[in-house]
Amino acid sequence: MLRINEIKVSKNFYLKDFECPCCNKVMLHPTLLENLEKLIASGLKIKITSGYRCEKHNKEVKGVPNSKHMKGMACDITCNDIEKAYEMAQKLGFSYVKIDKLKKYIHMEV
């Protein structure tokens, strides 16, 4: 039986790529998805490491109280070329982009 989160929502992503790891719920802003597809179209290989977070999970990971992750408007990614992904993300219309070179991930918001 197909789970709802196994539905493909774009060329490269399924709902499950964005689901909360503790409850499997998903919220996903369409602009976030569109911008991530643009990153992939530039030849980058990205992986979502944190998509939607319910309030409980956000507290567990010590996220900010009003995190855009809890609204489906933010994600964290890893990438085969993190520097290039960071530069591209800044040009794609994300409202906020932050790179953590030590932990090797990028946080992006719309």
Side-chain angles (χ1 to χ4, degrees):
M1 185 170 162
L2 184 68
R3 284 183 39 221
I4 190 78
N5 288 356
E6 292 175 0
I7 292 174
K8 198 165 191 176
V9 291
S10 69
K11 182 178 178 183
N12 295 287
F13 295 104
Y14 293 83
L15 279 177
K16 67 183 177 183
D17 295 320
F18 299 91
E19 70 186 7
C20 179
C22 78
C23 64
N24 302 111
K25 292 181 183 174
V26 178
M27 273 196 240
L28 177 59
H29 194 283
T31 304
L32 181 64
L33 184 60
E34 290 169 16
N35 287 351
L36 290 169
E37 283 293 347
K38 290 175 188 174
L39 277 177
I40 290 175
S42 70
L44 295 166
K45 293 179 180 158
I46 67 172
K47 180 178 188 237
I48 310 293
T49 58
S50 182
Y52 172 72
R53 295 179 191 159
C54 69
E55 187 174 345
K56 176 183 169 234
H57 184 66
N58 192 59
K59 286 178 184 174
E60 288 171 355
V61 298
K62 297 178 176 44
V64 296
N66 199 21
S67 172
K68 288 199 175 185
H69 282 275
M70 296 190 308
K71 299 173 184 166
M73 298 174 71
C75 69
D76 300 336
I77 67 161
T78 58
C79 182
N80 62 318
D81 188 342
I82 198 160
E83 295 287 340
K84 181 179 177 185
Y86 177 67
E87 290 172 18
M88 293 287 301
Q90 290 180 306
K91 297 174 186 175
L92 285 175
F94 289 97
S95 60
Y96 180 73
V97 180
K98 179 182 117 184
I99 188 171
D100 187 321
K101 292 181 183 180
L102 184 63
K103 295 181 183 175
K104 298 182 179 170
Y105 78 90
I106 301 170
H107 171 84
M108 297 175 279
E109 299 178 356
V110 294

